[in-house]
Amino acid sequence: QKNVSSTWGLFSFRSIDIKIIILRRIFSSTAPFSILMSASASTATTTLVVGATGATGKHVVLQLLQQKQNVRAIARSKERLLNSLDEIVPKSSEDFAKSLEVTEASILDLSDEELQKATKDCDAVVSCLGHNMTFKGMYGHPRRLVSDAARRLCEAIEKNRSGEDDKVDESKKATKFILMGSDGVANPAGGDDKRSLGERIVLFLIRCLVPPHRDNEAAAAYIFSKTDNPKLEWTVVRPTDLINGSVSKYQLFDKPQGSLFGSGAATRANVAKSMVDLILTDDLWEEWKFKMPVLHDLN
């Protein structure tokens, strides 16, 4: 079990760089965890966020901007995206409008070349896409929004990186791909505890009757298969029951905890925080890359 939350820093000055060392801190007696992060004050990452106007995606965008990172987004409306940032922090759009690069489109309407342009030189790509919980959103088209977008984004990343000379660019890190899933989606690698008979029946019915769940499973299965390219690394963050709320302490587990329903909660802001932490903290990324952590809030 892994604990992650806000910590304190010790600053030491070495020529131009400011090295930030986040000291070990224990948040529970059963699951100690520490993060060691070294970052240059002049270094910023570039992240593409899709699903940026969604309930979780907007938190990812805002938190990255607050960390002075470069953010790109694919959204139908830049105005709507900026308004969604103001819903979290009033007038934040005034501070970050110039720092946010937005491609106004539906992601599946973009050509392969446009997706390559959007992902070019990105350190990370985050997908918070999901279906609207309306009849049209669940049963209309596109039925495979999440999985098709994940596939096309990964293909765009791989095409961008395919021309790199390994000898020249061996110091360049792999592009991080972070997919938002749910703890109702089983890890294709196994390792999750076997669900009870009742839960398996419920999941079977959901799979048959609710197309978005099948789409999320297909996306996770596709991402799980992407282990053959050293220039593309991934993780799937699987939050438990989503709720609204502010950033607080959260905990990452290697498998679902408790029952399928009512075993805990995860604020969308904390889901976003975990994604931002994964992008900016190399040690945390090394711990969870090629895995599907389950996120719970710590009460």
Side-chain angles (χ1 to χ4, degrees), residues 198-264:
E199 289 176 329
R200 296 200 304 274
I201 292 172
V202 170
L203 285 172
F204 173 78
L205 292 174
I206 292 174
R207 187 176 300 113
C208 293
L209 301 175
V210 184
H213 183 72
R214 294 199 301 274
D215 189 21
N216 288 333
E217 289 182 325
Y222 173 79
I223 294 300
F224 176 72
S225 72
K226 303 303 295 180
T227 56
D228 57 346
N229 191 332
K231 296 176 182 177
L232 174 64
E233 298 175 347
W234 57 263
T235 188
V236 180
V237 178
R238 297 185 289 167
T240 190
D241 299 345
L242 286 167
I243 60 173
N244 292 322
S246 57
V247 174
S248 61
K249 297 177 183 178
Y250 67 82
Q251 189 165 359
L252 296 176
F253 297 89
D254 58 2
K255 58 186 177 181
Q257 304 295 299
S259 64
L260 183 61
F261 302 105
S263 61

Side-chain angles (χ1 to χ4, degrees), residues 55-83:
T56 302
K58 63 184 180 182
H59 286 281
V60 178
V61 171
L62 181 59
Q63 290 179 29
L64 284 168
L65 291 171
Q66 289 172 331
Q67 294 285 337
K68 302 187 185 304
Q69 305 302 304
N70 301 315
V71 181
R72 301 175 187 172
I74 297 174
R76 291 187 180 91
S77 167
K78 182 174 182 177
E79 181 181 5
R80 181 185 171 195
L81 175 53
L82 292 173
N83 289 339

Side-chain angles (χ1 to χ4, degrees):
Q1 300 174 357
K2 307 297 178 185
N3 286 349
V4 181
S5 82
S6 58
T7 53
W8 67 91
L10 176 65
F11 294 83
S12 61
F13 295 85
R14 297 181 183 177
S15 63
I16 299 177
D17 288 344
I18 298 175
K19 301 299 182 180
I20 303 173
I21 302 174
I22 301 182
L23 302 176
R24 181 180 299 273
R25 193 173 184 183
I26 297 176
F27 295 119
S28 81
S29 60
T30 60
F33 183 62
S34 65
I35 300 173
L36 179 63
M37 178 174 69
S38 178
S40 169
S42 61
T43 301
T45 62
T46 298
T47 299
L48 171 67
V49 182
V50 299
T53 56
T56 302
K58 63 184 180 182
H59 286 281
V60 178
V61 171
L62 181 59
Q63 290 179 29
L64 284 168
L65 291 171
Q66 289 172 331
Q67 294 285 337
K68 302 187 185 304
Q69 305 302 304
N70 301 315
V71 181
R72 301 175 187 172
I74 297 174
R76 291 187 180 91
S77 167
K78 182 174 182 177
E79 181 181 5
R80 181 185 171 195
L81 175 53
L82 292 173
N83 289 339
S84 72
L85 301 184
D86 289 337
E87 293 172 0
I88 306 171
V89 177
K91 297 184 178 181
S92 58
S93 63
E94 298 176 8
D95 298 325
F96 300 122
K98 294 181 180 180
S99 304
L100 178 60
E101 180 183 340
V102 180
T103 299
E104 292 187 296
S106 174
I107 184 169
L108 296 184
D109 290 339
L110 293 176
S111 67
D112 292 344
E113 291 74 19
E114 288 171 323
L115 277 180
Q116 282 183 249
K117 181 180 178 181
T119 57
K120 186 174 178 58
D121 297 324
C122 283
D123 300 283
V125 175
V126 176
S127 175
C128 293
L129 288 168
H131 296 260
N132 292 326
M133 290 297 100
T134 63
F135 185 87
K136 181 179 179 181
M138 290 191 293
Y139 298 101
H141 293 285
R143 288 283 186 94
R144 295 174 58 88
L145 169 65
V146 180
S147 54
D148 282 350
R151 174 183 54 79
R152 294 192 62 204
L153 286 166
C154 287
E155 289 174 351
I157 294 168
E158 290 175 318
K159 287 178 182 177
N160 282 331
R161 303 293 302 266
S162 63
E164 295 177 358
D165 187 328
D166 291 336
K167 293 181 179 179
V168 174
D169 299 311
E170 60 184 5
S171 63
K172 190 173 181 180
K173 296 179 181 178
T175 303
K176 300 175 179 178
F177 186 87
I178 302 175
L179 175 69
M180 180 176 173
S182 77
D183 66 350
V185 174
N187 188 339
D192 291 355
D193 292 336
K194 186 176 181 180
R195 295 286 190 183
S196 68
L197 176 60
E199 289 176 329
R200 296 200 304 274
I201 292 172
V202 170
L203 285 172
F204 173 78
L205 292 174
I206 292 174
R207 187 176 300 113
C208 293
L209 301 175
V210 184
H213 183 72
R214 294 199 301 274
D215 189 21
N216 288 333
E217 289 182 325
Y222 173 79
I223 294 300
F224 176 72
S225 72
K226 303 303 295 180
T227 56
D228 57 346
N229 191 332
K231 296 176 182 177
L232 174 64
E233 298 175 347
W234 57 263
T235 188
V236 180
V237 178
R238 297 185 289 167
T240 190
D241 299 345
L242 286 167
I243 60 173
N244 292 322
S246 57
V247 174
S248 61
K249 297 177 183 178
Y250 67 82
Q251 189 165 359
L252 296 176
F253 297 89
D254 58 2
K255 58 186 177 181
Q257 304 295 299
S259 64
L260 183 61
F261 302 105
S263 61
T267 61
R268 293 175 174 87
N270 276 346
V271 177
K273 181 65 165 59
S274 73
M275 293 175 171
V276 172
D277 288 342
L278 285 162
I279 293 168
L280 300 182
T281 310
D282 288 342
D283 287 350
L284 188 62
W285 181 258
E286 288 299 316
E287 178 70 20
W288 292 107
K289 70 179 182 181
F290 302 128
K291 297 179 181 178
M292 300 189 179
V294 175
L295 186 145
H296 282 246
D297 287 356
L298 282 176
N299 297 323

